[in-house]
Amino acid sequence: MMKESDTKTIEERNCFRCGKVLKPGALSYLVNIRVFSNFDGVLIEPEEGVDQHLKKLIKQVEESTPEELERDVYEEFTLILCKSCRDRFVKETKYPWEGPFKIRNDSDRTIH
């Protein structure tokens, strides 16, 4: 068990959402998020034809950085939350229809 004087060497952290200072030993929650691409097994033939579509995809890939391409396939990160933000995060994630949950539409960046 740590003494209060020992906690001076441990850094304070902040809640990712509200910025509240989370002192050493204080209640906090880790949220590990993994987002990865999904394939449902369906391939739809593009209207412009396969050759034209492939040229378009190659151009998109050439104009993208390796980091952008990787993020389109897989991204992982961890959030540290205080108790109230954890409760709100869980509620909004499990029941998005019951409260505000802003979804960013960034479809121009998606390669498919």
Side-chain angles (χ1 to χ4, degrees):
M1 188 164 206
M2 294 182 76
K3 298 177 192 173
E4 190 172 326
S5 60
D6 294 337
T7 61
K8 291 179 184 175
T9 59
I10 298 174
E11 285 187 39
E12 291 181 344
R13 298 171 295 171
N14 295 75
C15 174
F16 176 81
R17 188 178 167 280
C18 73
K20 176 183 176 181
V21 174
L22 302 167
K23 296 189 181 221
L27 179 62
S28 65
Y29 294 86
L30 291 179
V31 179
N32 294 310
I33 298 175
R34 292 184 331 151
V35 182
F36 45 95
S37 62
N38 182 31
F39 176 59
D40 63 4
V42 177
L43 294 173
I44 299 172
E45 188 167 333
E47 291 180 17
E48 69 266 20
V50 175
D51 290 341
Q52 194 63 24
H53 187 69
L54 283 174
K55 287 178 186 177
K56 182 178 157 185
L57 284 175
I58 290 169
K59 184 178 178 190
Q60 284 181 317
V61 168
E62 289 172 346
E63 293 173 353
S64 299
T65 66
E67 293 79 17
E68 289 172 325
L69 295 170
E70 184 177 350
R71 277 193 308 269
D72 282 345
V73 176
Y74 181 82
E75 192 163 0
E76 182 176 341
F77 53 96
T78 300
L79 309 176
I80 298 173
L81 301 174
C82 68
K83 170 75 169 123
S84 61
C85 289
R86 175 260 180 220
D87 292 347
R88 184 171 177 186
F89 176 84
V90 169
K91 182 179 179 185
E92 289 177 355
T93 303
K94 287 175 80 174
Y95 311 106
W97 54 88
E98 293 182 5
F101 188 76
K102 295 178 183 172
I103 299 174
R104 192 177 86 176
N105 187 359
D106 193 8
S107 60
D108 294 340
R109 234 181 67 37
T110 305
I111 297 175
H112 54 91

